[in-house]
């Protein structure tokens, strides 16, 4: 059953007098109990996609087209109040930057219990105990100590764990996790993602996992969407994508991570990778994928299903390519 | 080989008026000139504290801190300032560590100005040369930080660190905030520059694959204690401390097909709250004594 369905979403930003298309016609859905990963490099539009779902785009950004259905309600057409009810309670978000999401002058314990009190029916006396339980659950060895500390007294990773505590505290249906563990060490990362995964399985929660780490995708995602330049360039179930990545950008991303089993002196960069390949079975890959640095402007490209459930973006041959 | 950095029994704590928190305790290791020592440890294990103590931004409670054979743990004033020329740090977050108001040129020249090194013309020349070294356009000189992407900012931070011709670079999670494709560029750049400038590096990261890629030797930190240190191939292939083993087993395997396979779960016994003794088991491989079995003691004797 589909919990979230995004259709032909387009988002643009106004900066100086220019209108910039950050999200260019993307469509995807998330089923109940499913983990969908959104992967791509910085600036590809991952965060903007998730902010659109929550109606939290910055002031100069706006949705210029499409629909976002959540349980068959179009979130883009909901009033502020209704959206507020869904956000935080049914959909919770773990933001990329822990330091902006926490109030620096409020003790951790207070921030958590406040959230708990707001969203859940829970006895006042129980608040503290519940907060301590959650803190222990995300791996704090001394939850009581953290409860009484200010964000500034915690290391980066500890702050991120506090955010995760807050996100799961209201029993959401969908968790949007934007690079939730980028700042964490592997053991804590594994602990947190295992925790989110167990939580997902026991409650049938869905997760939209935003990351640039293919290692995490391999371990936790059911389906994967690879984003580049505001578009999805490849999407498939996780097994297919790892066994048979097609788009050169996907391959480039996979190869740019250092691998312990295959050490090499220099790492491959995306550019090295994408320049080598231009075609697949006679179809040309969409040129926008090669244009990160070169000034290549182009017209539409299309997602084609190359095998069931496996979509890849190719150049639409009926359109013209403009090279400036 | 010359030991450029040597720390013995190093301990640093934070005081918040009432409480005293030991962040690192009894840490001992050395770094050879020209090598890269990787430091790995979970969040809060004391990696940044250790880095800041070595740079003498934090004052150690006790312990020996030697740079090029000289104890610098108690240096103050002019001597300390002078010694700092030889050390530079690259931080995780170039957004926070670089001044947003200054032009890139000023950012690069600032450390030279502080240290009263070179004439203004020479400083400018040096700044341009550094920009070239880190692969940025000459025109970057006149721009401000907010006009650059995260990866470019980290290049600027690296240029600023290198402009002083330091002998030691401490890179504290330098690529953790970057996405993988930019990470690859920055790691390649760092490796090239290390060779070119014969840099000694302490490379801090929680990413074991990145540390493996960058380091010659690797040290494992846990709750302020150093638990194991060895050459990288040895420690990755034959870790001895159960904590190291459990750490290595949490590296994502990059293959969804292996997901179902349950790994042998590694139990980490409760670790002593006191700093452990490190035992040399040969081949510059040191392990915390409280957990290793007798057979490993025998290796050494
Ligand atoms: N407030 C804004 N004003 C103008 N442009 C913006 C704004 N926020 C984002 N953008 C642009 O939208 C695009 C997508 O940005 P987004 O933050 O979604 O990237 P991302 O994939 O999340 O990257 P990262 O991995 O760095 O977080 C980028 O080109 C970015 O410059
Ligand atoms: N300014 C401070 N005041 C009080 N305690 C601090 C301060 N900075 C760090 N600590 C504590 O010292 C310990 C070590 O912190 P440190 O920042 O060195 O860890 P780290 O290994 O760098 O972690 P991370 O990977 O999250 O950056 C932690 O328990 C932390 O809470
Ligand atoms: Mg983002
Ligand atoms: Mg740190």
């Amino acid at each position: 059953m589909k919990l979230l369905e995004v259709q032909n979403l387009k988002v643009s930003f106004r900066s100086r007098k220019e209108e910039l298309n950050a999200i260019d016609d993307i469509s995807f859905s998330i089923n109940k109990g499913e983990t969908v990963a959104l992967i791509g490099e910085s600036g590809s539009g991952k965060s903007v996609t998730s902010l659109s779902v929550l109606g939290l785009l910055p002031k100069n950004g706006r949705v210029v087209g499409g629909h976002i259905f959540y349980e068959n309600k179009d979130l883009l057409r909901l009033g502020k109040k209704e959206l507020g009810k869904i956000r935080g309670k049914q959909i919770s978000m773990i933001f990329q930057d822990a330091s902006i999401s926490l109030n620096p002058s409020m003790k951790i314990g207070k921030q958590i219990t406040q959230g708990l009190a707001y969203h859940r029916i829970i006895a006042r006396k129980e608040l503290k105990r519940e907060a301590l339980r959650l803190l222990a659950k995300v791996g704090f060895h001394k939850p009581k100590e953290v409860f009484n500390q200010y964000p500034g007294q915690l290391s980066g990773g500890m702050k991120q764990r506090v955010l995760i505590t807050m996100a799961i505290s209201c029993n959401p249906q969908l968790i949007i996790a934007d690079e939730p563990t980028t700042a964490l060490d592997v053991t804590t990362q594994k602990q947190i993602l295992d925790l989110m995964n167990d939580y997902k399985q026991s409650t049938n929660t869905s997760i939209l996992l935003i990351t640039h780490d293919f290692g995490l995708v391999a371990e936790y995602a059911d389906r994967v969407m690879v984003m580049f330049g505001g578009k999805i360039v490849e999407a498939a179930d996780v097994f297919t994508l790892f066994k048979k990545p097609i788009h050169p950008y996907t391959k480039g991303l996979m190869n740019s991570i250092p691998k312990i089993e295959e050490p090499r002196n220099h790492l491959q960069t995306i550019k090295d990778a994408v320049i080598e390949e231009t075609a697949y079975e006679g179809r040309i890959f969409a040129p926008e994928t090669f244009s990160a640095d070169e000034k290549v402007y182009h017209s539409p490209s299309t997602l084609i299903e190359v095998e069931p459930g496996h979509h890849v973006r190719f150049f639409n041959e009926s359109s013209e390519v403009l090279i400036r | 080989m010359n030991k450029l950095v040597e720390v013995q029994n190093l301990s640093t704590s934070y005081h918040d008026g009432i409480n005293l928190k030991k962040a690192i305790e009894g840490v001992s290791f050395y770094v050879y000139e020209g090598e890269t020592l990787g430091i790995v440890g979970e969040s809060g294990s004391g990696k940044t504290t250790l880095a800041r103590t070595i740079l003498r931004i934090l004052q150690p409670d006790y312990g020996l801190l030697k740079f090029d054979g000289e104890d610098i743990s108690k240096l103050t004033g002019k001597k300390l300032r002078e010694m700092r020329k030889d050390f530079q740090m690259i931080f995780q977050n170039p957004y926070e560590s670089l001044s947003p108001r200054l032009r890139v040129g000023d950012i690069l020249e600032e450390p030279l100005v502080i240290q009263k090194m070179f004439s203004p013309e020479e400083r400018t020349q040096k700044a341009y040369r550094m920009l070239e070294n880190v692969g940025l356009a000459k025109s970057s000189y006149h721009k401000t930080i907010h006009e650059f992407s995260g990866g470019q900012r980290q290049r600027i931070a690296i240029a600023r660190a290198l402009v002083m011709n330091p002998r030691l670079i401490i890179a504290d999670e330098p690529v953790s905030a970057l996405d993988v494709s930019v990470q690859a560029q920055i790691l390649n750049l760092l490796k090239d520059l290390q060779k070119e400038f014969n840099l000694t590096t302490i490379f801090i990261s929680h990413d074991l694959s990145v540390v493996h890629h960058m380091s010659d030797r690797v040290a494992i930190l846990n709750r302020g204690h150093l638990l194991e240190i060895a050459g990288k191939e040895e420690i990755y292939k034959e870790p001895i401390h159960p904590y190291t083993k459990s750490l290595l087993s949490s590296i994502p395997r990059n293959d969804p097909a292996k997901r179902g396979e349950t790994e042998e779960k590694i139990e980490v016994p409760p670790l002593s709250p006191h700093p452990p003794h490190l035992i040399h088991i040969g081949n510059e491989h040191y392990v915390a004594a409280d957990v290793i079995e007798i057979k490993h003691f025998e290796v050494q004797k």
Side-chain angles (χ1 to χ4, degrees):
Chain A
M1 204 186 100
K2 279 178 186 161
L3 181 68
L4 184 81
E5 181 160 15
V6 173
Q7 288 178 351
N8 305 98
L9 182 70
K10 289 185 185 167
V11 179
S12 72
F13 286 100
R14 214 180 32 251
S15 68
R16 293 174 193 150
K17 295 213 169 89
E18 270 176 340
E19 190 87 0
L20 177 132
N21 292 327
I23 301 297
D24 194 2
D25 196 3
I26 69 168
S27 303
F28 65 91
S29 60
I30 302 176
N31 293 327
K32 264 205 150 75
E34 191 181 36
T35 299
V36 175
L38 195 52
I39 191 163
E41 69 190 311
S42 189
S44 56
K46 306 181 298 292
S47 295
V48 170
T49 302
S50 60
L51 292 174
S52 313
V53 172
L54 292 165
L56 289 177
L57 283 174
K59 274 205 191 75
N60 62 332
R62 65 193 177 96
V63 174
V64 290
H67 302 274
I68 301 175
F69 293 106
Y70 175 78
E71 289 189 322
N72 301 323
K73 274 178 287 208
D74 191 345
L75 297 182
L76 296 175
R77 270 114 196 127
L78 283 188
K80 255 206 168 124
K81 214 168 149 196
E82 280 174 290
L83 194 60
K85 265 193 218 151
I86 291 177
R87 185 167 63 216
K89 193 163 163 68
Q90 296 190 39
I91 307 180
S92 70
M93 171 110 187
I94 300 165
F95 286 98
Q96 193 165 6
D97 188 351
S99 52
I100 57 165
S101 315
L102 291 169
N103 179 346
S105 56
M106 193 190 282
K107 284 187 178 167
I108 299 296
K110 181 115 192 261
Q111 302 198 39
I112 296 172
T113 50
Q114 238 178 23
L116 280 173
Y118 180 73
H119 285 298
R120 286 211 317 210
I121 311 145
I122 189 167
R124 277 193 89 81
K125 284 184 300 199
E126 294 293 314
L127 285 175
K128 181 168 180 184
R129 197 201 312 207
E130 176 66 3
L132 292 175
R133 191 185 68 83
L134 289 166
L135 284 169
K137 213 171 165 183
V138 299
F140 281 107
H141 303 299
K142 294 178 182 163
K144 279 192 186 141
E145 192 177 300
V146 178
F147 190 90
N148 286 314
Q149 276 174 319
Y150 290 95
Q153 292 169 290
L154 304 180
S155 71
M158 293 160 103
K159 276 189 267 198
Q160 198 65 21
R161 278 192 269 173
V162 170
L163 279 192
I164 289 160
T165 312
M166 289 163 71
I168 61 170
S169 68
C170 61
N171 292 325
Q173 300 232 20
L174 171 66
I175 300 176
I176 300 180
D178 192 351
E179 314 258 3
T181 58
T182 306
L184 303 182
D185 58 278
V186 283
T187 26
T188 318
Q189 170 172 292
K190 190 168 186 320
Q191 207 177 38
I192 299 275
L193 288 168
D194 284 348
L195 182 92
M196 274 173 61
N197 212 33
D198 291 348
Y199 178 80
K200 171 197 120 171
Q201 272 157 7
S202 63
T203 56
N204 209 28
T205 308
S206 311
I207 298 175
L208 178 61
L209 177 66
I210 297 176
T211 179
H212 55 247
D213 188 342
F214 263 112
L216 299 187
V217 173
E219 207 71 35
Y220 299 100
D222 300 310
R223 276 191 301 126
V224 193
M225 303 178 295
V226 183
M227 259 188 113
F228 182 89
K231 288 190 160 82
I232 292 174
V233 296
E234 185 161 6
D237 74 85
V238 70
F239 298 100
T240 306
L241 195 83
F242 274 79
K243 209 155 50 197
K244 195 181 166 192
I246 291 177
H247 205 284
Y249 178 69
T250 310
K251 293 187 198 168
L253 269 184
M254 285 179 166
N255 287 334
S256 57
I257 1 175
K259 297 198 181 75
I260 293 171
E261 324 79 60
E262 310 160 33
R264 45 166 107 191
N265 209 6
H266 265 76
L267 298 169
Q268 193 185 37
T269 58
I270 298 272
K271 227 172 149 186
D272 304 337
V274 275
I275 284 169
E276 283 164 19
E277 264 182 278
T278 55
Y280 169 80
E281 292 184 350
R283 285 188 287 243
I284 312 288
F285 292 113
E288 72 256 14
T289 54
F290 306 91
S291 64
D293 298 313
E294 289 88 40
K295 289 201 173 354
V296 181
Y297 295 84
H298 57 86
S299 23
S301 54
T302 46
L303 270 179
I304 291 176
E305 193 166 22
V306 293
E307 57 186 315
H310 189 174
H311 298 265
V312 184
R313 187 166 289 278
F314 292 101
F315 175 49
N316 178 350
E317 282 160 54
S318 63
S319 357
E320 268 177 64
V321 182
L322 305 168
I323 299 178
R324 287 193 202 150
Chain B
M1 269 187 291
N2 179 30
K3 289 176 183 169
L4 188 67
V5 179
E6 201 172 351
V7 306
Q8 277 169 27
N9 203 20
L10 199 67
S11 305
T12 307
S13 46
Y14 294 99
H15 313 245
D16 64 3
I18 313 159
N19 299 306
L20 178 116
K21 172 155 184 78
K22 289 209 158 107
I24 54 166
E25 197 180 11
V27 171
S28 307
F29 64 86
Y30 47 81
V31 192
Y32 290 120
E33 187 146 23
E35 80 166 339
T36 299
L37 175 72
I39 296 184
V40 187
E42 65 187 65
S43 174
S45 59
K47 303 181 296 295
T48 299
T49 306
L50 176 61
R52 291 164 64 88
T53 308
I54 293 172
L55 297 175
R56 286 291 318 277
I57 299 167
L58 292 172
Q59 176 64 31
D61 302 338
Y62 51 87
L64 204 62
L65 172 54
K66 279 189 185 167
F67 183 73
D68 214 5
E70 185 194 352
D71 183 6
I72 58 162
S73 63
K74 292 178 192 70
L75 281 190
T76 50
K78 190 157 165 263
K79 279 212 162 127
L80 179 63
R81 264 201 308 282
E82 226 154 62
M83 183 217 61
R84 283 217 171 112
K85 278 197 291 226
D86 287 335
F87 296 174
Q88 287 300 321
M89 185 137 170
I90 300 168
F91 296 91
Q92 170 171 3
N93 195 341
Y95 300 69
E96 284 167 11
S97 60
L98 300 173
S99 164
R101 275 182 301 275
L102 297 179
R103 294 179 312 166
V104 168
D106 299 323
I107 289 175
L108 297 184
E109 288 167 33
E110 192 181 55
L112 299 171
V113 175
I114 294 171
Q115 294 284 354
K116 301 196 180 69
M117 286 160 84
F118 307 113
S119 69
E121 294 76 37
E122 282 170 323
R123 289 200 283 258
T124 306
Q125 258 180 20
K126 231 174 139 59
Y128 274 113
R129 207 159 342 118
M130 279 331 301
L131 284 174
E132 199 184 316
N133 278 326
V134 298
L136 288 174
K138 277 206 162 97
S139 57
S140 313
Y141 186 93
H142 296 284
K143 294 185 178 166
T144 53
I145 286 299
H146 72 262
E147 296 174 69
F148 294 91
S149 70
Q152 289 172 325
R153 289 175 200 198
Q154 201 56 291
R155 284 176 195 265
I156 295 166
I158 292 170
R160 178 181 156 103
L162 293 182
V163 76
M164 302 283 295
N165 265 332
R167 297 177 66 191
L168 174 72
I169 292 270
I170 302 188
D172 189 1
E173 313 260 12
V175 292
S176 307
L178 305 175
D179 67 85
V180 286
S181 60
V182 184
Q183 168 177 299
Q185 294 165 13
I186 296 291
L187 293 179
N188 286 343
L189 173 70
L190 269 175
K191 269 203 154 177
D192 290 343
L193 294 172
Q194 276 173 336
K195 227 194 205 151
E196 191 176 330
F197 293 88
N198 187 32
L199 291 171
T200 307
T201 313
I202 295 178
F203 189 93
I204 297 173
S205 176
H206 59 256
D207 185 327
L208 285 147
S209 311
V210 169
V211 165
H212 183 269
H213 180 71
M214 294 302 289
S215 313
D216 298 302
R217 288 188 302 131
V218 175
I220 311 289
L221 210 61
N222 174 267
R223 301 196 210 173
H225 300 151
L226 201 152
L227 298 184
E228 184 161 5
I229 178 168
K232 99 173 147 190
E233 294 308 335
E234 180 152 336
I235 205 164
Y236 277 74
K237 290 209 182 83
E238 292 162 53
I240 288 175
H241 200 288
Y243 177 74
T244 312
K245 288 182 183 167
S246 83
L247 202 62
L248 291 167
S249 74
S250 358
I251 301 176
R253 284 158 297 185
N254 250 312
D255 185 356
K258 291 196 181 140
R259 210 189 273 179
E261 292 172 20
T262 40
E263 292 221 358
E264 167 193 1
K265 186 142 175 65
I266 293 141
E267 289 298 329
V268 184
L271 300 176
S272 160
H274 305 294
H277 282 290
L278 289 183
I279 302 275
H280 185 211
I281 60 161
N283 203 15
E284 294 197 86
H285 190 158
Y286 298 81
V287 192
D290 53 347
V291 293
I292 47 174
E293 293 163 27
I294 300 299
K295 61 176 193 248
H296 291 303
F297 279 84
E298 285 164 356
V299 180
Q300 182 214 6
K301 295 288 161 182

